[in-house]
Amino acid sequence: MISEKRIILRNSGVINPQSIEEYIDAGGYKSLSSAFASTPEKVVEEVMASGLRGRGGAGFPTGIKKQAAADRDTGKISYVVCNADEGEPGTFKDRIIMETNPHLLIEGMIIAGYSISAKLGYIYIRGEYYDSVRRLQHAIHQAYARGYLGNDILGSGFSFDLEIKPGAGSYLCGEELTLLESLEGKRGYPRIKPPFPTEKGFWDKPTLVNNVETLANLPGIIGHGSSWFRSSGTEKTPGTKLFSVCGDVKKPGCYETDAGVILNDLINDLAGGTSNGKPWKAVLLGGAAGTFVPYSFSGLSLCYERLKEQGATLGSGAVIVIGNERKLIPLMQSILMFFRHESCGKCVPCRVGTTYIHERSLEIPAAGNEARISILEEIVNHARQMAKSSLCPLGQSPILPLGTLQIHFTEMIATE
Amino acid sequence: MDQQEIIAGFSPDKTNLLAMLHALQDNHPQNYLTEESLRAAASHLRVNLSWVYGVAGYYSMFSLQPRGRFIIRICNSPVCNMMGSSGLIDVLGSILGIGAGETTPDGLFTVEQVECLGICDVAPAMMVNRKVYGNLTRKSLEAIIDELRILQNKPE
Ligand SMILES: Cc1cc2nc3c(=O)[nH]c(=O)nc-3n(C[C@H](O)[C@H](O)[C@H](O)COP(=O)(O)O)c2cc1C
Ligand code: SF4
Ligand code: FES
């Protein structure tokens, strides 16, 4: 029987999220002083040494990104942007952090700002997260009043301002370059990558874009050191990870464990097991832009390296459990509907492709067994073409769930 | 609040556009962006009306058409869908007599079918204006609508 390992969520549900005093009493904002006692370069080195990887989906090493953002000296203007758009179906962990411990994110943002010598940071939050916005806004006011934000923070000579910007209902705006477009007051159409945000980001200046959970890890790393951080998780995915477990489980919720936790331990020991107590049929890891795994993967360790070996992804940490009585075809149709809905329409392969594969999927239920297999094959081939020719990662995503559905569940789809 | 007062609360910086449109829309009793409000936003930020229009039209939370007092955003993304949201959209349809994207003739309710709201731990889920409702069933949905009808004459 495993239990949670709460580092990010250590104070969640323990302290009042709207009280800066309680956060400080629990050791909050101490890491900020530690950062100021050191140099920005040393802070970047510590994050590099920690091996922290981005928690927004791609798993990119955070230290390297910081280095890249800090390296450029184009007039010394740079920005830190927190990606709190959290639109991936099945994912709600960032909301939990923001609602239960907003000061942790703020402290992480200030440390990130200091490490790349940025003077301004933005938290871009999806428009529907009213409670997160409210709590963070309140916490930011408190942080200003206490001198943790603003001019010459704690007498360090470092000044940093922090603002919240709402999104307005677009999954694509969670993609970092599209997010920056949206932040600049534009429609959410993606930019061509490269250049990466660390080279040419917000208002074309070097910009560090990190996920909420990634930033929330910084106070721990700076306060306790990189080797402490490495004492959790695996060698290649150090630290803890927040998992959003939902679907057919008894206790859906956000659970924090060592990265590398065994899939079935997470489902059975923390999420209370499947709703009907029977072994699950499938798990969709990482959301709509994630991968399906069959029950034979139940002993899999949830870390970037193991999952990659198995052709699966961790993505945002969504763990969508699909019970043994569920049908996979409606789920597949729902995923394709999602992409169809969220495609921005800027490039042809994705605009036409997302509509086409969704419509084809609607024909599956009425088809015979053999025909189902060939429709699935056609959809998968189409998604593969889209992955090659689409302009941005959204059009490159449908192949992830579709390809893994085909590999593991063709037979079930033919007969269900 | 008066439209100009709302706009004056934002510095004339393009990064404020989305927040400003939210504020203008929330202030309108019919939860939408009028042409007049788009013009006012454009002139405050010194950008073309077409820019603001394009932005307002792009994002799904903004509406250029009048909507109801209560915006029911029901999630139909994969997790909620699997947990039964399509059936709930039908239930809403039978209680309110409207489909997704429509507004009741009395101007009270608008139903919108949306993608994941980030509350999948309580799927199937929805939001009514700023409030979250989860673990929905036919029964709870009926009760919520009744409650909102009673609430209609009180301020939120
Ligand atoms: C379509 C799409 C949607 C995304 N949505 C999010 C999101 O909601 N939150 C997030 O942190 N990253 C999201 N990402 C990943 C970001 O592009 C980016 O990798 C991330 O913000 C980097 O932060 P990290 O290095 O801390 O993970 C999305 C990517 C794509 C392609
Ligand atoms: S791949 Fe899809 S979402 Fe991305 S630019 Fe093309 S149409 Fe837009
Ligand atoms: S899938 Fe409905 S709230 Fe996430």
Side-chain angles (χ1 to χ4, degrees):
Chain A
M1 189 86 175
I2 61 155
S3 47
E4 269 197 275
K5 180 164 189 177
R6 290 193 156 210
I7 290 178
I8 301 274
L9 300 180
R10 185 181 62 247
N11 290 317
S12 294
V14 178
I15 61 168
N16 173 358
Q18 298 288 248
S19 162
I20 193 168
E21 289 79 16
E22 290 191 23
Y23 181 70
I24 292 169
D25 286 347
Y29 288 112
K30 272 212 190 99
S31 301
L32 197 55
S33 308
S34 312
F36 291 156
S38 156
T39 63
E41 292 74 18
K42 286 244 162 61
V43 171
V44 174
E45 275 169 31
E46 200 62 35
V47 178
M48 285 262 216
S50 75
L52 173 65
R53 300 172 69 157
R55 303 298 201 231
F60 192 80
T62 307
I64 295 175
K65 223 189 230 188
K66 276 183 185 290
Q67 188 86 66
D71 272 351
R72 324 266 149 186
D73 49 4
T74 42
K76 294 183 186 61
I77 296 176
S78 60
Y79 299 97
V80 182
V81 173
C82 170
N83 188 342
D85 197 50
E86 196 160 71
E88 189 63 56
T91 314
F92 42 91
K93 62 175 180 91
D94 296 338
R95 173 175 61 79
I96 303 289
I97 296 173
M98 295 187 283
E99 286 180 4
T100 62
N101 200 356
H103 284 289
L104 183 67
L105 173 59
I106 295 170
E107 187 175 4
M109 288 278 304
I110 306 169
I111 293 171
Y114 178 71
S115 75
I116 66 159
S117 307
K119 293 196 165 30
L120 181 57
Y122 291 104
I123 305 177
Y124 182 92
I125 308 189
R126 60 175 304 174
E128 298 88 346
Y129 276 5
Y130 294 103
D131 290 341
S132 297
V133 170
R134 197 166 43 80
R135 293 213 173 150
L136 266 168
Q137 196 65 67
H138 185 75
I140 288 173
H141 281 310
Q142 292 177 324
Y144 269 107
R146 287 278 192 141
Y148 293 118
L149 281 170
N151 285 329
D152 189 16
I153 300 170
L154 307 178
S156 64
F158 173 69
S159 302
F160 189 70
D161 285 301
L162 187 54
E163 288 182 33
I164 295 176
K165 297 289 171 185
S170 159
Y171 166 65
L172 183 53
C173 285
E175 191 281 319
E176 54 190 9
L177 284 167
T178 317
L179 185 153
L180 297 175
E181 285 286 291
S182 180
L183 200 57
E184 292 176 5
K186 302 182 197 148
R187 287 181 288 189
Y189 289 139
R191 296 179 186 169
I192 307 286
K193 216 192 259 189
F196 291 91
T198 46
E199 301 161 55
K200 214 171 168 218
F202 183 62
W203 298 134
D204 290 344
K205 296 289 189 288
T207 305
L208 178 70
V209 183
N210 274 133
N211 171 257
V212 173
E213 185 186 348
T214 311
L215 290 160
N217 268 300
L218 298 182
I221 292 170
I222 298 308
H224 302 281
S226 56
S227 31
W228 166 85
F229 183 75
R230 280 186 171 280
S231 67
S232 305
T234 68
E235 197 202 324
K236 297 222 169 90
T237 313
T240 56
K241 178 78 195 87
L242 301 192
F243 293 98
S244 309
V245 188
C246 54
D248 292 318
V249 288
K250 288 206 180 80
K251 292 190 291 177
C254 175
Y255 298 100
E256 180 174 7
T257 69
D258 276 295
V261 65
I262 302 299
L263 177 55
N264 243 6
D265 288 349
L266 179 63
I267 293 173
N268 293 329
D269 298 352
L270 301 180
T274 56
S275 307
N276 64 7
K278 307 250 172 67
W280 41 269
K281 178 181 272 187
V283 167
L284 179 54
L285 285 175
T291 47
F292 281 97
V293 297
Y295 196 77
S296 58
F297 282 50
S298 60
L300 198 64
S301 152
L302 301 180
C303 56
Y304 293 104
E305 58 277 20
R306 282 282 159 298
L307 289 168
K308 198 169 167 201
E309 282 166 21
Q310 302 292 327
T313 52
L314 187 57
S316 55
V319 177
I320 304 170
V321 179
I322 298 139
N324 70 327
E325 285 165 4
R326 295 278 177 203
K327 292 203 156 99
L328 293 174
I329 296 169
L331 182 57
M332 167 187 175
Q333 291 167 337
S334 173
I335 291 169
L336 295 180
M337 182 64 213
F338 173 77
F339 286 117
R340 176 181 184 170
H341 202 193
E342 297 297 338
S343 165
C344 81
K346 188 173 171 180
C347 70
V348 177
C350 169
R351 169 165 31 104
V352 177
T354 49
T355 300
Y356 179 73
I357 57 179
H358 174 247
E359 288 188 348
R360 282 298 270 162
S361 76
L362 300 179
E363 293 166 18
I364 296 179
N369 295 5
E370 291 302 312
R372 285 182 177 193
I373 295 176
S374 67
I375 297 173
L376 179 63
E377 197 169 289
E378 193 206 321
I379 291 176
V380 169
N381 287 339
H382 207 94
R384 200 163 279 133
Q385 286 308 315
M386 285 166 59
K388 285 188 195 135
S389 52
S390 292
L391 203 65
C392 91
L394 189 143
Q396 296 155 10
S397 299
I399 188 63
L400 296 168
L402 289 170
T404 46
L405 255 187
Q406 188 190 36
I407 293 171
H408 304 296
F409 297 101
T410 295
E411 205 168 309
M412 255 179 217
I413 286 179
T415 55
E416 80 175 19
Chain B
M1 218 199 288
D2 159 60
Q3 184 172 292
Q4 284 308 328
E5 259 178 87
I6 292 175
I7 290 181
F10 293 92
S11 62
D13 172 351
K14 286 195 200 103
T15 64
N16 284 328
L17 179 55
L18 267 57
M20 206 151 90
L21 294 180
H22 273 298
L24 288 166
Q25 174 167 278
D26 291 349
N27 184 57
H28 196 288
Q30 287 171 298
N31 279 307
Y32 84 115
L33 290 162
T34 60
E35 189 180 326
E36 193 200 345
S37 64
L38 297 180
R39 276 185 199 285
S43 86
H44 187 65
L45 297 182
R46 298 201 184 88
V47 295
N48 292 333
L49 177 60
S50 64
W51 175 304
V52 176
Y53 206 79
V55 168
Y58 179 88
Y59 294 93
S60 66
M61 288 183 79
F62 297 136
S63 175
L64 298 169
Q65 306 300 326
R67 291 186 292 182
R69 157 104 190 260
F70 299 112
I71 311 291
I72 301 177
R73 293 194 170 92
I74 183 148
C75 173
N76 198 23
S77 270
V79 183
C80 288
N81 184 276
M82 182 170 91
M83 306 303 280
S85 59
S86 300
L88 295 172
I89 294 169
D90 296 341
V91 171
L92 278 176
S94 68
I95 306 176
L96 300 173
I98 54 170
E102 296 176 349
T103 299
T104 51
D106 60 2
L108 210 48
F109 298 100
T110 297
V111 175
E112 293 181 354
Q113 184 177 310
V114 301
E115 299 299 347
C116 181
L117 291 165
I119 43 179
C120 340
D121 46 343
V122 291
M126 69 177 187
M127 292 183 76
V128 180
N129 296 354
R130 292 173 179 237
K131 200 166 166 201
V132 167
Y133 295 89
N135 298 315
L136 296 170
T137 59
R138 165 182 276 273
K139 241 185 148 167
S140 70
L141 202 50
E142 285 168 353
I144 292 163
I145 299 295
D146 283 346
E147 200 179 297
L148 290 171
R149 285 208 164 105
I150 294 167
L151 234 157
Q152 65 171 295
N153 295 316
K154 296 181 193 154
E156 260 174 68

